Amino acid sequence: MKRLTLIISLLIAIAAPLKASTIEQLFLDEHAGVFNLLDRQARMIMLDNFKSGAKVPVSNNMEGDSSRIVALSEREITVLTSPARQVQARLLVNKRDSIIIAVETVSTPYRDSRVTFYTTAWRRVPEADHIKPVPAITMLYRSAMDANAQAELDALAMPMMEMTLEDDRLALRHSYKPQVTKEVYTKLEPKLFDVRYYQIDGLKLKLIK
């Protein structure tokens, strides 16, 4: 009897990762504030619209605003929660566990992003547990700047950074170019990387040197 109980417990443990929720179900169940403009009914309508090919936006909880799904796959969803805010959410899975990575981007009008991580129950977990080093605008500088150079750059433009999930990588791009004149950017460009990437490996993201 004890042996049978042990076998059943092992089977449950092995099967647990395979029962990870689909990204659609996670989208419907989210309660951590990622899709806070959308109630469950609105999310269900959005999924139905997307699957049927209807490009019909759905009203959200901001007066006069609307939302729509722009991409959906087995493990990833991209949602325009408002005309100025986009969320990419992806389910990351390994043999034993799964987590959600969410990339939220706002346009003000310059694009600026943040990345957060959650359990499949939508409990937030520390970014440093899954991505190292934690993304920062300084990663897009080709070399360290002294205080004067940094102050000069900050006076020209806001240090904003856009992040996007692209295949098995997370891309980082600065938002300096649209903020300054062509002449100023010509001087800045040699000091900056256009893009840098993190490699996604299971539940971890590692900066590609």
Side-chain angles (χ1 to χ4, degrees):
M1 185 65 182
K2 288 183 178 179
R3 184 179 179 184
L4 178 60
T5 302
L6 178 60
I7 291 172
I8 293 172
S9 298
L10 287 172
L11 288 173
I12 292 173
I14 292 170
L18 301 179
K19 292 178 65 179
S21 300
T22 64
I23 197 66
E24 291 182 29
Q25 190 61 50
L26 291 168
F27 171 61
L28 291 175
D29 294 344
E30 187 275 324
H31 54 80
V34 178
F35 301 107
N36 61 330
L37 296 179
L38 300 159
D39 59 32
R40 187 180 179 86
Q41 183 65 28
R43 298 179 201 187
M44 292 175 68
I45 294 171
M46 290 169 67
L47 284 169
D48 287 343
N49 286 349
F50 185 85
K51 290 177 180 179
S52 67
K55 297 181 179 179
V56 181
V58 174
S59 296
N60 58 38
N61 292 334
M62 290 185 67
E63 186 175 352
D65 246 352
S66 60
S67 307
R68 64 187 177 91
I69 296 171
V70 296
L72 178 65
S73 64
E74 182 181 357
R75 291 186 180 174
E76 184 175 330
I77 189 168
T78 302
V79 182
L80 281 176
T81 61
S82 74
R85 181 175 179 268
Q86 174 183 285
V87 178
Q88 283 181 288
R90 180 184 294 185
L91 183 63
L92 304 181
V93 178
N94 66 11
K95 292 181 179 179
R96 300 184 60 184
D97 204 357
S98 54
I99 61 164
I100 304 158
I101 177 174
V103 180
E104 303 170 60
T105 301
V106 295
S107 301
T108 58
Y110 313 115
R111 297 176 73 79
D112 195 29
S113 303
R114 72 167 185 164
V115 60
T116 48
F117 294 85
Y118 301 86
T119 67
T120 52
W122 287 103
R123 290 191 296 271
R124 188 167 174 179
V125 295
E127 286 74 40
D129 288 354
H130 296 282
I131 186 166
K132 293 183 179 180
V134 174
I137 188 67
T138 51
M139 292 177 182
L140 292 166
Y141 300 164
R142 290 190 177 275
S143 59
M145 295 189 188
D146 60 32
N148 290 335
Q150 184 66 60
E152 183 179 358
L153 180 57
D154 291 346
L156 291 170
M158 292 178 284
M160 294 180 170
M161 177 175 60
E162 179 182 6
M163 291 181 269
T164 52
L165 290 166
E166 300 176 3
D167 297 322
D168 60 348
R169 299 187 297 183
L170 175 70
L172 281 63
R173 295 178 175 88
H174 62 78
S175 296
Y176 285 127
K177 188 173 183 178
Q179 298 187 61
V180 297
T181 64
K182 183 177 179 180
E183 291 74 19
V184 169
Y185 188 73
T186 298
K187 296 178 181 179
L188 287 177
E189 190 172 18
K191 302 177 182 178
L192 302 169
F193 290 104
D194 290 330
V195 60
R196 294 194 72 183
Y197 294 98
Y198 285 87
Q199 184 68 46
I200 299 174
D201 182 11
L203 309 185
K204 303 289 186 179
L205 285 78
K206 299 177 181 178
L207 185 65
I208 299 174
K209 301 297 184 179

